[in-house]
Amino acid sequence: MMLSRIANSLFWMGRYLERTENSARMIHTHFLSALDAPSEHKGSLIYESLLRIMGMSDYINPSGIYEDRHIQHGLCFDLQNPVSLSSSISFARENARGAKDILSTEIWESINVLFQLAKWEQSDRMDASNIPSYLEMILVNSAIINAQIENSIPHDLTWSILRLGMHSERTIQVNRLLQSKTLDILEMRKRKKGKEEEAFHLINLMRSAQALDMARMHYRRSPQFHEALDYLVLNKEFPRSIHFNMRQISSRLQKVSNKKNGQAGSPEFEAARILAFLQFLDTEDLHSQPEHVLVQLHTQVSELISTIESQYLSY
Amino acid sequence: MTPKITAEAESSIMHHYPLDQPWYDEVYRQEGKFRKHYHRILNHLGKISRADFIKLNELARLSFLNQGITFNVYTENPQGVERIFPFDMMPRLIQEAEWEHIQSGLIQRTKAINAFLRDIYHEKSIIREGIIPAKLVFSSTFFSKEMIGLMPPAEVYTHISGTDIIRHSDGHYYVLEDNVRCPSGVSYVLANREVMKRLYAQVFMNYNVKLIHDYPERLLAMMKSVSPQGIDDPTCVVLSPGMYNSAYFEHSYLAQRMGVQLVEGRDLYVDKNFVYMKTIRGPQKVDIIYRRIDDEYLDPLAFRSNSLLGVPGLMGAYRAGHVSLVNAPGTGVADDKAVYIYMPEIIRYYLQEEPILRNVPTYHASKAEDLAYILEHLQALVVKPVDESGGYGILFGNKLDSKELEDCRAMIQENPRKYIAQPIMNLSVHPTYVEETGAFEQRHIDLRTFTLMGGDGIHVLKGGLTRVALQKGNLVVNSSQGGGSKETWVLEEKGGAE
């Protein structure tokens, strides 16, 4: 038995926790690669790409000149910016606080500790030298929270809804990352830039999705663009691929609804439909028109989330 | 035999403890002479260096912060400013015999208050026999017409009482206030104990401290004992105004420790006089509600019509006997500070016993002779509104200048029903670590106790929340007025004291 309001808090807690982890990893990856990037690329290649992934296009400066501290503050610490890391952490904790009575003490405390640590690090003490360790702290604590979610509560309704939120968010984040990097790479190709620039984007893409090491092992070389697309969209085993996450969403929904197959229009049915779309997706289409396929997937997932919200989370 | 204290203890942070004679000091009888049940803890503190003690304090602070045991103070910062409820690392000890006395007094008082409430909402014999004036009872802000003739399950009104007790400089315990409208603070007692056990294991091993951890279980058992008729396996919930309420930590803590749902008004609805909560798989009936929402917000149909916190139709379901409310509505009339004056009479009337715990002499401005006394002796009195809690609206006559005294007199004369006055009680003091000076100093304390009353009897939590006024000389200990807390250890005599 679970209150719809609590289910809503859990779903969003899962989404914000996942967003926190993803954002921290993307910022970390891009900051590190900015350090030794050719200076002409710094603004256009790295910051702009990152700002687009994070949904902060209004920070993009047409002049291509960026002040590091301004960008760092906006990405990491600005509470007025709803997609900053600090905001995600705050929202995750607020939702956890609203559902605290049904979480294990360990889950709540691990989230609260992350919140307190992140708040402790004031933005005015931060510069390029300690931002990476700040982001690593967030990643380590996110891993602890994940372990507590996995191991300190039964894999029942509470866990299923939390995971539903997390996998939904991950699907959206990976899709957004892919869309943005696809644009960057296609733009490079259009401008007939060399292989070097493309590789730069590819590596940032794969690192941001924590996929570089595993994709290298899978393909036995540094993945090419079409391989990166295959790996992050269609791989059934890699936990950050869209296919993997859609499978998780589908089974979590079965637990929530207590039904194997939902009626047409139900969240379970919609999730199964997206899975079928992925299963029968022609890789030629994905390779030739990646942006088109990604947008189509994004629309389907957004519609699925609206159905989940109206079916289970409204009160 | 005077207990010996080691040389290292003599040189400790406790060594230069300024003793101010007029107060009753819980630890020291006079300079260098401590009460013997404090022997072991003083010895222990003596072995801790100042640096270690500061570290211990910091660890405790961090532990509260990480557990999220904080208050939210709202500012322009969207994250708000979170403050820890200040906690002092030196526990207050109460010997068993003394505790037995307090406990029997609390049980007596709880029984009498419950009988009083039952009476004023039914037969009204105490009024008819002229023991307490009708006008006083019916004019109380908290008298609830909705409750007239309504009998709660198991005839219990005050399921949870939080009685505030002080020790005066005469060494006697007095009841300062009765709180029978959802008193808060018990979660801090339980959380403080958990932190102390982690950090102070050694001291615990030297004392036999009475257990308190079963409180949530007892609370749940008490709730189930007042279940509506015919329900075998009742669904219990805690009803909270939500996470922006300052006591939200307590609401969620108790719900979690009891393993019941924490609900808000918007999670509940009433259909055909039954209460349901909205779950992801449809409605689920609710039988017992431990509500942490004030009477006036409970049900917009019965009380304040603009309340968004409550549940429309809840009082109808209550009246139909389909849901139990803990505490019952309308109990506040018993903790009206003007009704407090009659508490000794109330005890004698219903129980045919003499009161065990003393009442502070109290003057009510609505009595002509009391009013005259108050106006004349205002400088030596403390004035309190009868219907406030949390230490709000309290005025100490000796702190007012002549203009303020005049204003205070005018305020009382304008609304005499609203004010009582009491002599300024010298709350006892306890060594409390003061960060600014890095030493222990005397600070005033009181004790909030917690008593559960169900269909299955009465249980008093062993100890309670010792509240500390952190400002030097301050006599108001409420957390809303900047107070802190201490652990309260009720000692088992065997091996506890020497």
Side-chain angles (χ1 to χ4, degrees):
Chain A
M1 195 237 346
M2 177 174 294
L3 294 173
S4 306
R5 177 177 57 80
I6 295 292
N8 186 56
S9 295
L10 289 172
F11 183 78
W12 280 99
M13 171 185 150
R15 286 197 65 173
Y16 283 118
L17 283 174
E18 185 65 27
R19 190 174 300 179
T20 299
E21 191 197 324
N22 279 286
S23 304
R25 186 172 296 108
M26 289 180 203
I27 300 172
H28 190 253
T29 301
H30 285 81
F31 268 21
L32 288 191
S33 79
L35 291 179
D36 55 0
S39 59
E40 59 194 293
H41 292 320
K42 203 166 166 181
S44 56
L45 263 178
I46 297 164
Y47 281 156
E48 286 174 16
S49 179
L50 178 58
L51 290 169
R52 265 196 301 274
I53 302 168
M54 292 283 291
M56 289 166 56
S57 306
D58 49 338
Y59 274 70
I60 291 176
N61 191 340
S63 71
I65 299 164
Y66 292 94
E67 195 208 328
D68 291 348
R69 282 190 85 88
H70 175 66
I71 300 287
Q72 288 162 9
H73 177 77
L75 286 165
C76 297
F77 306 107
D78 187 4
L79 286 166
Q80 308 298 330
N81 172 14
V83 299
S84 73
L85 261 177
S86 290
S87 294
S88 290
I89 295 172
S90 277
F91 293 143
R93 179 190 185 248
E94 279 304 90
N95 279 290
R97 210 158 76 84
K100 204 171 119 189
D101 55 305
I102 66 158
L103 297 172
S104 67
T105 307
E106 289 78 11
I107 294 180
W108 159 248
E109 284 195 23
S110 59
I111 293 169
N112 192 44
V113 164
L114 168 62
F115 171 80
Q116 300 294 354
L117 286 173
K119 210 168 75 167
W120 185 248
E121 303 287 358
Q122 296 297 321
S123 62
D124 50 13
R125 290 209 302 262
M126 284 287 160
D127 56 36
S129 67
N130 45 22
I131 285 239
S133 64
Y134 170 79
L135 296 166
E136 282 152 26
M137 177 279 286
I138 291 175
L139 288 170
V140 166
N141 278 284
S142 296
I144 294 172
I145 295 167
N146 259 309
Q148 298 294 10
I149 290 172
E150 235 14 56
N151 299 308
S152 75
I153 52 172
H155 289 195
D156 61 0
L157 213 48
T158 301
W159 178 85
S160 299
I161 293 171
L162 260 173
R163 282 283 172 222
L164 195 56
M166 297 181 104
H167 291 297
S168 302
E169 182 68 21
R170 197 180 286 175
T171 309
I172 292 170
Q173 293 284 340
V174 170
N175 192 319
R176 217 221 294 263
L177 175 70
L178 278 167
Q179 282 190 48
S180 176
K181 290 294 175 193
T182 299
L183 273 182
D184 289 339
I185 289 170
L186 295 183
E187 182 67 26
M188 294 275 133
R189 289 182 178 172
K190 222 189 319 180
R191 285 202 265 141
K192 302 229 182 314
K193 291 276 180 181
K195 278 262 169 234
E196 206 176 301
E197 278 87 351
E198 188 171 323
F200 200 77
H201 276 309
L202 262 177
I203 285 182
N204 279 344
L205 161 66
M206 296 308 269
R207 279 217 175 103
S208 293
Q210 216 180 16
L212 186 60
D213 297 344
M214 293 302 116
R216 263 192 200 131
M217 281 171 68
H218 187 80
Y219 296 109
R220 294 166 188 270
R221 61 170 178 175
S222 259
Q224 305 299 298
F225 180 47
H226 68 277
E227 289 165 340
L229 283 169
D230 286 349
Y231 200 71
L232 288 178
V233 177
L234 297 174
N235 191 297
K236 287 183 186 159
E237 269 91 34
F238 183 64
R240 295 190 182 273
S241 80
I242 292 178
H243 193 144
F244 181 93
N245 284 286
M246 278 313 305
R247 279 222 319 251
Q248 295 297 318
I249 290 172
S250 180
S251 25
R252 298 295 82 82
L253 277 171
Q254 279 173 24
K255 184 87 183 180
V256 174
S257 69
N258 234 350
K259 288 178 208 131
K260 186 97 181 116
N261 292 304
Q263 293 172 315
S266 72
E268 301 80 65
F269 183 85
E270 291 304 318
R273 208 158 69 164
I274 301 175
L275 263 181
F277 171 82
L278 286 166
Q279 230 141 17
F280 298 108
L281 181 66
D282 187 346
T283 47
E284 279 308 309
D285 286 348
L286 181 60
H287 296 164
S288 59
Q289 293 180 298
E291 64 285 34
H292 176 73
V293 174
L294 290 168
V295 167
Q296 202 179 345
L297 260 173
H298 186 84
T299 314
Q300 289 176 342
V301 172
S302 302
E303 279 167 8
L304 168 65
I305 290 174
S306 311
T307 332
I308 293 173
E309 286 181 325
S310 61
Q311 178 82 27
Y312 298 118
L313 311 179
S314 54
Y315 52 93
Chain B
M1 188 191 93
T2 312
K4 284 206 185 85
I5 207 150
T6 59
E8 13 178 28
E10 280 292 310
S11 67
S12 75
I13 29 176
M14 286 303 299
H15 187 53
H16 297 287
Y17 176 67
L19 212 59
D20 212 351
Q21 284 303 334
W23 317 115
Y24 181 98
D25 192 295
E26 296 282 346
V27 179
Y28 288 94
R29 260 178 291 143
Q30 59 190 78
E31 197 83 44
K33 294 262 165 51
F34 51 87
R35 298 176 202 281
K36 59 183 180 182
H37 56 293
Y38 274 95
H39 178 208
R40 289 171 181 175
I41 187 123
L42 287 175
N43 245 337
H44 180 81
L45 282 174
K47 287 179 198 142
I48 302 178
S49 72
R50 191 182 298 268
D52 282 346
F53 189 80
I54 290 168
K55 204 154 108 194
L56 207 60
N57 242 329
E58 188 52 33
L59 282 175
R61 205 190 66 83
L62 197 65
S63 177
F64 283 108
L65 195 65
N66 287 345
Q67 286 182 67
I69 309 175
T70 47
F71 280 118
N72 229 351
V73 184
Y74 293 100
T75 60
E76 282 177 8
N77 176 351
Q79 283 186 329
V81 177
E82 291 201 2
R83 297 239 172 90
I84 297 170
F85 186 22
F87 174 66
D88 187 67
M89 290 295 291
M90 183 170 181
R92 178 240 197 112
L93 313 185
I94 301 178
Q95 287 172 289
E96 188 162 24
E98 212 161 50
W99 175 253
E100 293 298 332
H101 169 75
I102 295 174
Q103 178 167 283
S104 56
L106 291 171
I107 293 174
Q108 179 191 53
R109 213 162 165 107
T110 303
K111 281 186 191 159
I113 288 177
N114 201 67
F116 169 69
L117 288 165
R118 186 192 185 285
D119 188 22
I120 60 163
Y121 288 118
H122 293 85
E123 300 84 10
K124 304 178 181 61
S125 51
I126 195 167
I127 295 168
R128 279 189 279 113
E129 292 183 30
I131 292 162
I132 184 166
K135 207 177 139 201
L136 182 76
V137 173
F138 300 136
S139 64
S140 171
T141 320
F142 304 111
F143 183 84
S144 171
K145 290 199 183 84
E146 294 283 325
M147 290 301 291
I148 297 172
L150 199 163
M151 187 63 81
E155 301 189 10
V156 178
Y157 288 81
T158 54
H159 309 84
I160 304 157
S161 314
T163 314
D164 293 341
I165 293 176
I166 58 159
R167 198 207 289 267
H168 188 46
S169 43
D170 60 10
H172 290 290
Y173 284 107
Y174 288 77
V175 172
L176 192 63
E177 263 181 35
D178 298 289
N179 292 289
V180 288
R181 289 168 281 148
C182 305
S184 60
V186 74
S187 59
Y188 296 106
V189 179
L190 302 170
N192 286 353
R193 175 66 56 91
E194 284 166 32
V195 170
M196 277 295 260
K197 274 161 80 172
R198 277 192 228 166
L199 298 178
Y200 250 9
Q202 228 184 332
V203 191
F204 268 99
M205 279 188 264
N206 281 322
Y207 281 103
N208 286 321
V209 182
K210 298 236 189 206
L211 298 178
I212 54 170
H213 69 258
D214 59 346
Y215 180 85
E217 268 165 66
R218 288 190 184 260
L219 178 60
L220 186 60
M222 178 279 285
M223 283 170 74
K224 289 184 173 171
S225 78
V226 294
S227 173
Q229 269 198 328
I231 309 286
D232 286 339
D233 185 15
T235 300
C236 303
V237 299
V238 177
L239 174 60
S240 164
M243 60 192 239
Y244 296 106
N245 185 276
S246 63
Y248 177 75
F249 164 74
E250 173 148 315
H251 308 160
S252 65
Y253 183 95
L254 289 175
Q256 193 216 26
R257 296 300 151 111
M258 288 193 285
V260 306
Q261 295 282 337
L262 179 67
V263 302
E264 294 177 18
R266 52 193 173 150
D267 297 321
L268 301 180
Y269 69 95
V270 176
D271 185 30
K272 298 190 176 66
N273 276 340
F274 284 92
V275 182
Y276 298 91
M277 55 181 157
K278 301 175 209 170
T279 81
I280 60 169
R281 292 186 191 145
Q284 157 111 20
K285 187 161 75 71
V286 171
D287 306 302
I288 302 159
I289 301 176
Y290 172 21
R291 46 90 175 205
R292 296 292 301 256
I293 291 181
D294 293 343
D295 284 6
E296 54 182 327
Y297 298 104
L298 264 182
D299 177 353
L301 300 182
F303 305 109
R304 231 182 230 232
S305 58
N306 59 353
S307 166
L308 298 173
L309 301 173
V311 186
L314 184 58
M315 281 306 285
Y318 183 59
R319 208 173 298 116
H322 294 159
V323 69
S324 299
L325 294 176
V326 168
N327 291 349
T331 52
V333 63
D335 64 23
D336 184 308
K337 290 185 178 71
V339 173
Y340 164 91
I341 299 171
Y342 294 87
M343 214 44 84
E345 292 306 317
I346 289 172
I347 293 171
R348 289 185 195 106
Y349 180 74
Y350 293 108
L351 305 178
Q352 290 81 47
E353 294 170 8
E354 277 304 302
I356 298 169
L357 292 170
R358 298 174 183 221
N359 240 39
V360 178
T362 305
Y363 307 93
H364 189 204
S366 70
K367 287 194 221 166
E369 68 275 21
D370 282 9
L371 180 62
Y373 182 88
I374 296 171
L375 296 179
E376 192 179 335
H377 298 92
L378 195 54
Q379 264 180 301
L381 298 171
V382 49
V383 176
K384 300 176 181 177
V386 295
D387 50 0
E388 296 272 7
S389 58
Y392 289 102
I394 294 179
L395 293 171
F396 287 89
N398 58 0
K399 299 265 161 64
L400 303 179
D401 63 27
S402 56
K403 164 82 170 62
E404 288 166 332
L405 280 169
E406 269 324 298
D407 290 350
C408 182
R409 286 193 182 99
M411 175 186 84
I412 296 169
Q413 279 168 304
E414 199 173 303
N415 190 358
R417 171 65 180 84
K418 194 178 163 68
Y419 297 98
I420 55 125
Q422 295 170 334
I424 297 172
M425 297 298 280
N426 293 331
L427 275 62
S428 62
V429 290
H430 196 291
T432 302
Y433 182 71
V434 178
E435 263 177 43
E436 296 82 59
T437 60
F440 277 93
E441 290 181 20
Q442 289 184 326
R443 288 292 182 268
H444 291 288
I445 59 168
D446 84 340
L447 178 65
R448 167 157 292 185
T449 60
F450 297 92
T451 308
L452 297 177
M453 182 185 201
D456 56 348
I458 297 182
H459 170 75
V460 184
L461 179 73
K462 303 282 183 286
L465 189 67
T466 291
R467 301 186 295 180
V468 192
L470 294 174
Q471 294 294 321
K472 192 172 187 164
N474 190 356
L475 288 164
V476 181
V477 296
N478 302 73
S479 57
S480 43
Q481 312 295 320
S485 76
K486 273 177 177 296
E487 259 261 86
T488 312
W489 292 0
V490 175
L491 303 176
E492 266 182 49
E493 232 45 359
K494 203 178 126 220
E498 287 170 24

